[in-house]
Amino acid sequence: MSRENIHNPPILELGPDFYDPVKPAVFPEAHLRYRNQEAARFIGLDSLSDSAWKDHFWAFKPLPGNLSEPLALRYHGHQFMHYNHELGDGRGFLFAQFPVAGTWYDLGTKGSGQTPYSRDGDGRLTLKGAYREALATELLQSLGVNTSKTFSFFETGENLVRYDEPSPTRAAVLVRFSHGHIRIGTFQRLAHFEQKENIQKLVDVCLKAYYPEIHSDDADERAFLFFQAVVRKCALLTAQWMIAGFVHGVLNTDNINITGESFDYGPYRFLPSYDVRFTAAYFDRQGLYSFGRQPVTMLWNLQRLGETLKLQFNTLPVEEIIEEFSDEFNAHVKRLFLQRLNLKSRGTEADGSLLTAYFNFMESSPALYEQAFFDFFGGKASPRIASSPQKDFYQGEEFANLMNQLQDFEVDDVTKMAHSYFQNSKPCTLLIEEIESIWKPIAEENDWGFFYKKLEEIRSFRGIY
Ligand code: AMP
Ligand code: MG
C-alpha cells in the first residue's frame, strides 16, 4: 500500500458537512480478544506489533498518513419505517480509509465513546455484542456473503448496564473493516436538509470511491448509473442472505451500505429450519424484518434512496430502475442456490423447477436449513443424503419430487466433493443455542478457547461457497 495514495480519502473530499470530529473514549484496560490478520494483510497492517495494534485500535492513535482525527459520520434513516433525524455515529467513528485496487475501504469503530449523536446512550458496546459480531462476519464470509469484516476487538475493563442482557456486563471496543460507510441514510439526511448540491457531491464521490468502473460526463446519467448499481448490489446481497439462511434483524435504512455490503450485526440469527416468518430481533414484534420479508424490505429501502436522489435529479426514473430488483434478485437466488449445491445450471427453467422442489420440500419438513444444503451438496451424488443425522426427514412426496428433479443435475466442481469439510456428519452452523453455549465459559471463567476453536471451524471451509 503506498502512502501517497491516501492523501485524499473520500470522507475529506466530501468535507465537513458530512462528519463531526470526535475524541475516542479512554478505557481502563486493554485485553486483545480478536485480531483479524487476513483483513490486516489486505491493507498492509498485518505486521503491526501487538503494542502498535493497541495504540491504534484501542487508544485510537491516528495511523501515519491517514485521518488525523476520528470522525463521527452524519446520517439519518428510517428505523422500522419511521424517519429518525437524530441518528448518526452515536458510538462509533470513521478511523481510517485505504485505497486498494481502485476502491476504498474503511476502518470504523463500534463502542469507542460518546459523540454528538449518542443521545442518552453511553457510546459503548458490550463484549457479547463484539463477540457476536465477530462470529457473524466470519461465518457470513465463509458462506460467501458480501460482508464487512471484524478487524479487531479489545475488552476494555468497563461495566455496562443493558436492559436486554444480564447487567452489569463486560464492555469492548470493536474495529470494523468495511467497503465504505455511506448508507442510504447518509443520502436521506441531505434530502431532509434539502442540501441538493451535497447530494450531487455524494453521488460523485461514491462513484469515484466505490464504483470506479462507472463514468459519464452527464450528471443525470451518473445518478442513473449510480442508483442502478446500488439496486443491483443490494439485490445480490439480499439473495446471499437468503441462501445463507441469515436474518439480519435490523434492516433500517441507516444499516444499508450503498456498496451492497452487509454490516452492523446486532440481534441477527441464522435460520434453524426454513421458515419465512422467522424473526431475529425480540423487539421486532410485527416480524417486519423476518427472514422472508428481507427482499421486500430491501426494495422499500431502495425506494427511499430513489426518492432522495430525485430531489436533485428530478428526471431520474426511479420506478424503472427499481423494477430491475426482482429479476436481479431471482437470478442471483437461482445461481447461488446451485452454487450452494455444487450443481451445474441446466438453464433458467430447469434450475427454477429444482429450486421450487427444494423449497417445497424444506417447507414441508422440519429439516435443518444448513444441514440440508450440506447433505445435498453434489446433488444426487451426495453420500450424505443417506447417512445424514436428519436422514429420517428425507422422505415423503415432496422429497421424492426433489430427488426426481435432482436426477438430471450434474456436479459442478468435482474437486470440492473431496473437501475435508464434507467428511463431517454435520455442517458448521451458528444457531442461537451455540452462540450462547460458547459465550457461557467466557462469561463465567473468561475461557475463550471454544470461541477460537469455533473461528477455526468457520474458516476451515472458506472458499467452498
Ligand atoms: P444501530 O441499531 O446499532 O444501527 O444503532 C442505531 C443508532 O443508535 C445509531 O445512531 C447508533 O450510533 C446509536 N446507538 C446505539 N447504541 C448506542 C449506545 N450505546 N450509545 C450511543 N449511541 C448508540
Ligand atoms: Mg447501525
Side-chain angles (χ1 to χ4, degrees):
M1 173 192 61
S2 74
R3 294 283 174 209
E4 55 274 29
N5 281 341
I6 302 183
H7 69 268
N8 202 14
I11 191 62
L12 298 186
E13 198 164 331
L14 285 169
D17 281 353
F18 288 80
Y19 56 77
D20 296 82
V22 291
K23 299 253 180 287
V26 175
F27 298 112
E29 292 170 25
H31 306 281
L32 180 62
R33 301 299 185 200
Y34 175 96
R35 169 174 171 156
N36 188 336
Q37 278 295 91
E38 186 187 79
R41 201 170 306 123
F42 195 70
I43 47 175
L45 295 177
D46 53 315
S47 59
L48 287 183
S49 67
D50 278 353
S51 125
W53 190 273
K54 180 180 145 190
D55 287 346
H56 296 303
F57 307 123
W58 173 79
F60 298 104
K61 180 180 148 196
L63 284 158
N66 216 297
L67 301 180
S68 59
E69 55 188 347
L71 306 173
L73 301 178
R74 298 179 178 178
Y75 55 84
H76 290 172
H78 278 91
Q79 297 180 303
F80 290 86
M81 300 174 103
H82 297 287
Y83 195 74
N84 186 345
H85 54 82
E86 293 186 311
L87 291 173
D89 274 344
R91 54 168 167 175
F93 49 68
L94 179 64
F95 180 61
Q97 296 194 301
F98 301 86
V100 182
T103 185
W104 285 81
Y105 295 86
D106 289 353
L107 290 178
T109 63
K110 197 169 180 180
S112 51
Q114 289 172 317
T115 76
Y117 306 99
S118 299
R119 290 170 284 165
D120 46 7
D122 57 7
R124 302 304 201 265
L125 173 67
T126 65
L127 181 63
K128 192 174 185 185
Y131 153 87
R132 283 177 47 94
E133 175 144 344
L135 285 175
T137 51
E138 288 274 357
L139 183 55
L140 287 173
Q141 189 184 348
S142 287
L143 291 175
V145 176
N146 180 20
T147 178
S148 68
K149 314 287 186 289
T150 304
F151 191 78
S152 169
F153 72 82
F154 280 88
E155 183 169 358
T156 58
E158 293 184 324
N159 287 311
L160 309 178
V161 175
R162 290 289 183 273
Y163 298 105
D164 49 4
E165 277 185 45
S167 295
T169 188
R170 291 148 75 183
V173 64
L174 178 142
V175 179
R176 172 194 294 149
F177 178 74
S178 70
H179 195 196
H181 273 98
I182 305 297
R183 308 133 192 270
I184 291 180
T186 313
F187 280 90
Q188 288 181 288
R189 180 182 159 278
L190 301 177
H192 181 83
F193 293 125
E194 298 189 33
Q195 296 180 7
K196 293 186 186 183
E197 280 175 27
N198 273 337
I199 294 177
Q200 175 76 65
K201 192 178 190 180
L202 187 54
V203 167
D204 286 332
V205 171
C206 284
L207 284 176
K208 198 167 137 192
Y210 307 116
Y211 292 99
E213 67 282 8
I214 296 176
H215 303 275
S216 168
D217 293 333
D218 180 72
D220 286 328
E221 192 181 12
R222 286 199 300 278
F224 181 101
L225 294 172
F226 169 70
F227 186 49
Q228 185 181 53
V230 177
V231 168
R232 290 176 176 176
K233 288 274 189 192
C234 288
L236 171 60
L237 172 62
T238 312
Q240 289 171 337
W241 282 333
M242 302 308 281
I243 294 298
F246 183 71
V247 191
H248 180 286
V250 197
L251 292 184
N252 295 332
T253 55
D254 56 305
N255 285 340
I256 306 297
N257 190 327
I258 56 86
T259 61
E261 186 181 76
S262 174
F263 79 117
D264 212 2
Y265 301 106
Y268 71 85
R269 293 280 180 97
F270 284 87
L271 279 188
S273 48
Y274 180 63
D275 175 7
V276 290
R277 283 158 310 180
F278 187 86
T279 303
Y282 69 89
F283 49 81
D284 184 3
R285 287 183 205 93
Q286 316 289 324
L288 190 66
Y289 299 148
S290 63
F291 178 66
R293 283 190 50 85
Q294 294 186 117
V296 52
T297 299
M298 184 60 97
L299 197 55
W300 190 89
N301 288 338
L302 288 165
Q303 257 149 355
R304 304 290 77 74
L305 176 61
E307 278 167 14
T308 301
L309 291 169
K310 261 193 106 89
L311 191 69
Q312 167 66 2
F313 306 99
N314 44 40
T315 60
L316 185 72
V318 170
E319 284 312 317
E320 182 190 313
I321 300 169
I322 285 243
E323 264 179 37
E324 276 190 39
F325 181 91
S326 70
D327 284 350
E328 284 276 321
F329 170 76
N330 287 322
H332 285 305
V333 163
K334 272 188 212 157
R335 183 179 56 77
L336 294 169
F337 167 73
L338 285 180
Q339 194 176 307
R340 208 63 196 315
L341 295 186
N342 194 18
L343 296 175
K344 281 199 179 104
S345 167
R346 295 183 55 244
T348 318
E349 213 170 298
D351 297 353
S353 309
L354 179 67
L355 182 96
T356 305
Y358 184 90
F359 284 101
N360 280 346
F361 163 65
M362 289 302 286
E363 201 160 23
S364 73
S365 158
L368 295 171
Y369 196 77
E370 189 61 28
Q371 180 78 49
F373 273 134
F374 186 75
D375 293 342
F376 289 102
F377 189 84
K380 64 178 193 292
S382 167
R384 288 171 307 280
I385 299 175
S387 63
S388 169
Q390 65 178 12
K391 65 177 189 302
D392 291 352
F393 295 147
Y394 296 156
Q395 53 171 302
E397 203 181 316
E398 301 292 358
F399 176 71
N401 184 35
L402 169 59
M403 288 308 282
N404 198 27
Q405 294 277 342
L406 276 174
Q407 287 310 317
D408 301 322
F409 282 84
E410 284 172 31
V411 172
D412 184 37
D413 182 342
V414 182
T415 57
K416 284 186 181 172
M417 301 306 292
H419 193 284
S420 59
Y421 183 56
F422 295 106
Q423 308 312 307
N424 304 327
S425 61
K426 291 181 180 176
C428 176
T429 56
L430 202 54
L431 301 184
I432 188 69
E433 296 76 16
E434 193 183 7
I435 293 180
E436 295 297 330
S437 77
I438 299 174
W439 174 250
K440 202 164 178 269
I442 298 173
E444 290 175 0
E445 299 154 60
N446 201 29
D447 176 356
W448 290 79
F450 297 96
F451 173 62
Y452 297 127
K453 222 173 128 225
K454 186 69 192 179
L455 293 180
E456 248 175 63
E457 187 203 348
I458 292 174
R459 290 169 184 166
S460 71
F461 63 102
R462 200 153 280 169
I464 293 183
Y465 297 125

